[in-house]
């Protein structure tokens, strides 16, 4: 089916930026819907952004205007700007499949001074 491996998380100050990466193997990236989700401790996992075939995009309200999802070759990206403490979470790469969704193991993003 394929594998997803996230990287790029870390500690950043409020107002700062991070660029997350998700390396895809086993399938062609631009032929499938790709998502970024996030989950903070004690909270529900929530959709952050979506990239669809044809490169159309969708964003959660909290991400619109600050985050940008993109895909190049075998890597999905999430550029995050103007980060807030509320953005602190584990961020996951995801691709829906009828036989079972593909998920990465996540990368930690911490926004704190």
């Amino acid at each position: 089916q394929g594998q997803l491996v996230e990287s790029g998380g870390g500690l950043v100050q409020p107002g700062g930026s991070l660029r997350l990466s998700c390396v895809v193997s086993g399938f062609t990236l631009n032929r499938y819907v790709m998502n970024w989700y996030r989950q903070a401790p004690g909270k529900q996992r929530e959709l952050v952004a979506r990239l669809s075939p044809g490169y159309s995009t969708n964003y959660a309200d909290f991400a619109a205007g600050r985050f940008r999802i993109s895909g190049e070759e075998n890597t999905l990206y999430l550029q995050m700007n103007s980060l807030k403490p509320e953005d602190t979470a584990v961020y996951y790469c995801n691709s829906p499949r009828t036989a079972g969704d593909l998920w990465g193991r996540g990368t930690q993003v911490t926004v704190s001074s």
Side-chain angles (χ1 to χ4, degrees):
Q1 289 183 320
Q3 290 184 306
L4 309 172
V5 180
E6 303 96 334
S7 64
L11 176 64
V12 64
Q13 294 184 336
S17 298
L18 282 175
R19 187 196 193 202
L20 306 184
S21 299
C22 172
V23 176
V24 170
S25 61
F27 67 95
T28 301
L29 174 62
N30 62 11
R31 295 185 178 181
Y32 295 88
V33 171
M34 299 295 300
N35 301 310
W36 284 101
Y37 282 81
R38 72 183 188 185
Q39 187 168 26
K43 296 187 177 181
Q44 297 286 335
R45 187 171 297 185
E46 60 185 347
L47 180 67
V48 177
R50 172 170 292 157
L51 177 67
S52 298
Y55 302 102
S56 63
T57 59
N58 291 277
Y59 296 92
D61 288 344
F62 65 79
R66 297 191 298 131
F67 296 1
R68 178 61 60 86
I69 189 171
S70 63
E72 295 183 9
E73 203 165 338
N74 70 328
T75 306
L76 181 73
Y77 298 99
L78 183 67
Q79 177 67 46
M80 303 188 293
N81 301 320
S82 302
L83 284 162
K84 307 173 181 178
E86 310 93 84
D87 296 318
T88 296
V90 177
Y91 285 71
Y92 298 91
C93 184
N94 159 264
S95 187
R97 296 286 191 277
T98 56
D101 291 1
L102 299 178
W103 290 93
R105 296 180 64 86
T107 184
Q108 176 72 49
V109 172
T110 302
V111 184
S112 176
S113 59

